[in-house]
Amino acid sequence: MRQAQNNLKQLKSKSEISGIENLIRVMLKKHGSPLMLIRRSVLEKQFNRFRKCLPQVTPYYAIKANPHPGIIKTFVKLGASFDVASANEMKLVLALGASPSKIIFANTIKSEKDIETARRRRVRLMTFDNEPELYKIAKHHPGARILVRIKVANEGSQVELSLKFGADSDQAFFLLRKAKTLGLVPAGVSFHVGSQSTNVENYLQALEISANIFKESKKNGMPLKIMDIGGGFPIQHFDREIGINFERMTCQIRKHTKTSFDRNVKFIAEPGRFLVGPAGILVTQVIGRTFRNNKNYYYLNDGIYCDFSGMVFDHCKYEFKTLRRGQTFISALAGPTCDSFDTLSMNEEIPELYVGDVVYVKNIGAYSCASATPGFNGFPPAKIVLV
Ligand SMILES: Cc1ncc(COP(=O)(O)O)c(C=O)c1O
């Protein structure tokens, strides 16, 4: 039985790869490279997967993962809400059709000008984690609905966020009470377990701590309504990666949300990577090759400064694939700039490549083009095409 299931899996993955490689060939002819393909069907699949696994949680797409207008429009059509980090992101999602009531300004540190913009644009929901921020919000956006972001364990997450954000949980109630005295609406609690969090315990522990804040607030006559479980939901970056099972993970989260909170509590989340990461395929081409240090070095037309920037800022590792088949050799891959830091890998098992050959990476839709530096050494980032 298991053998049959494995065979079926292998067949499916073979046909998926050939479908992707055909798409790459067609798109390359049309657009050239470097090219970031974003598959709408995968955006939709991930959104529906999230909704199915956590039906009681409203997803606010964290556009910082990839703010391309085509992606935002796709999520607007699917009925998503949005997490924005700045007034510019806010203006972008509003211009693309999102309603202000479906936006959370989820940056705990906001400039006074950005808070003003939120008031003018009628975006009322926001997060904070410190008292000075409350004074700013009270001054520029009286009546705003606020969630206190607490510091929670980020154990094993690829990107640690608790180093920079989150109030101590034992201060949360006092901060919310202070907010109320300043004329704000204390609406609930938020947390972020760190990005690419494969450790479900982070969520379960954070929910437990948050549930206690809800209880304390209720006991003191200040019932809370919104529980924001943040982002962090992990994706598979490598084909044969094990240990990432969104369905199993969310099953545990779902149980916890049901048992630890009152039934009238509204749950929201801020997924970024999970919604957009698997949709992205980066297509690059070899622009030069040499033999040094006993191996082939291939220089690609995209690198660390552009669409592989996630290797630095997102601490991400990618699986490099080629269209060429055949015997593989340990080789090095590098970007196009005059900087040796712009090296992508020193030991990829790939076939021998020639100038013009394709090297591509799947699952690279999040924190890649979003943090690219256009124009360093004169190299442009990949053209983004929704397919
Ligand atoms: C406040 C906030 N919300 C949501 C996200 C999205 O997280 P992820 O892409 O891990 O789902 C981030 C990522 O840094 C964040 O800082």
Side-chain angles (χ1 to χ4, degrees):
M1 176 73 173
R2 179 162 290 176
Q3 184 61 42
Q5 277 176 340
N6 281 345
N7 288 348
L8 188 67
K9 247 189 195 168
Q10 273 177 4
L11 269 177
K12 266 190 180 169
S13 110
K14 265 191 186 162
S15 89
E16 197 213 341
I17 287 177
S18 90
I20 285 176
E21 296 194 346
N22 284 338
L23 175 71
I24 290 174
R25 285 189 187 94
V26 173
M27 289 295 136
L28 194 61
K29 261 197 193 142
K30 198 164 167 192
H31 301 282
S33 77
L35 181 63
M36 176 70 82
L37 298 173
I38 302 284
R39 290 170 296 168
R40 281 197 187 88
S41 61
V42 181
L43 296 175
E44 198 171 326
K45 180 176 144 206
Q46 290 300 95
F47 185 76
N48 291 336
R49 224 176 130 198
F50 191 96
R51 299 258 41 191
K52 186 170 168 215
C53 291
L54 290 170
Q56 79 285 31
V57 182
T58 304
Y60 284 61
Y61 170 51
I63 79 161
K64 61 175 76 69
N66 194 327
H68 189 272
I71 296 172
I72 296 173
K73 273 191 211 157
T74 304
F75 285 129
V76 168
K77 269 197 202 140
L78 290 169
S81 298
F82 295 90
D83 157 358
V84 298
S86 62
N88 282 343
E89 283 196 349
M90 187 184 300
K91 288 179 200 162
L92 178 64
V93 296
L94 286 169
L96 294 170
S99 131
S101 64
K102 286 185 151 192
I103 295 175
I104 181 169
F105 194 173
N107 191 338
T108 55
I109 306 292
K110 299 167 279 298
S111 72
E112 292 185 285
K113 200 164 151 242
D114 279 12
I115 298 169
E116 267 289 331
T117 304
R119 185 183 58 73
R120 270 189 279 106
R121 302 287 182 124
R122 298 200 178 89
V123 171
R124 278 190 72 205
L125 186 61
M126 53 187 70
T127 60
F128 79 104
D129 66 2
N130 62 82
E131 197 173 326
E133 189 76 8
L134 285 179
Y135 291 104
K136 285 187 332 200
I137 303 174
K139 181 174 168 199
H140 297 282
H141 199 339
R145 301 173 77 210
I146 49 159
L147 307 178
V148 61
R149 176 159 164 189
I150 56 166
K151 187 156 110 191
V152 296
N154 278 207
E155 209 70 44
S157 299
Q158 187 170 292
V159 183
E160 252 277 355
L161 294 171
S162 57
L163 292 174
K164 193 174 163 195
F165 301 107
D168 287 333
S169 56
D170 58 1
Q171 292 302 306
F173 167 70
F174 301 106
L175 284 167
L176 288 169
R177 196 172 60 184
K178 178 80 194 179
K180 195 171 175 194
T181 65
L182 291 172
L184 299 169
V185 181
V189 178
S190 95
F191 61 73
H192 199 303
V193 295
S195 202
Q196 183 74 0
S197 173
T198 48
N199 180 4
V200 72
E201 284 305 320
N202 287 335
Y203 286 99
L204 305 185
Q205 240 182 53
L207 282 168
E208 204 57 55
I209 295 168
S210 304
N212 286 334
I213 299 168
F214 271 70
K215 280 183 197 132
E216 190 182 357
S217 296
K218 190 175 173 186
K219 204 172 79 190
N220 286 285
M222 198 179 67
L224 303 174
K225 293 202 176 77
I226 301 177
M227 179 66 241
D228 175 1
I229 65 172
F233 304 94
I235 61 166
Q236 215 173 311
H237 284 280
F238 285 74
D239 282 350
R240 296 226 173 98
E241 199 167 347
I242 46 168
I244 294 170
N245 190 325
F246 179 72
E247 276 67 18
R248 201 180 304 146
M249 192 169 176
T250 45
C251 179
Q252 286 180 266
I253 295 173
R254 193 169 61 232
K255 276 189 198 144
H256 230 71
T257 56
K258 284 199 176 131
T259 51
S260 306
F261 292 83
D262 285 350
R263 280 179 61 192
N264 61 351
V265 171
K266 182 179 178 240
F267 285 88
I268 67 173
E270 303 164 1
R273 181 192 311 273
F274 180 80
L275 295 181
V276 77
I281 303 168
L282 179 63
V283 185
T284 71
Q285 281 178 289
V286 175
I287 53 168
R289 57 172 282 189
T290 186
F291 190 81
R292 61 205 312 271
N293 302 329
N294 237 0
K295 59 176 101 169
N296 275 319
Y297 272 61
Y298 300 108
Y299 300 88
L300 310 180
N301 55 359
D302 203 340
I304 291 275
Y305 288 94
C306 281
D307 296 271
F308 289 109
S309 60
M311 293 178 78
V312 180
F313 301 120
D314 190 39
H315 315 288
C316 204
K317 292 195 172 66
Y318 301 115
E319 181 167 355
F320 296 94
K321 290 173 174 286
T322 59
L323 295 185
R324 198 174 277 284
R325 301 281 184 262
Q327 192 185 350
T328 58
F329 304 90
I330 299 281
S331 314
L333 294 174
T337 64
C338 300
D339 183 352
S340 51
F341 179 66
D342 194 7
T343 300
L344 303 170
S345 173
M346 289 302 286
N347 49 4
E348 286 305 304
E349 279 244 14
I350 48 176
E352 183 168 11
L353 300 177
Y354 299 88
V355 169
D357 276 0
V358 166
V359 175
Y360 72 95
V361 169
K362 294 193 304 177
N363 304 313
I364 191 174
Y367 307 114
S368 48
C369 35
S371 48
T373 314
F376 182 58
N377 279 210
F379 294 107
K383 177 174 180 186
I384 304 173
V385 176
L386 264 81
V387 291

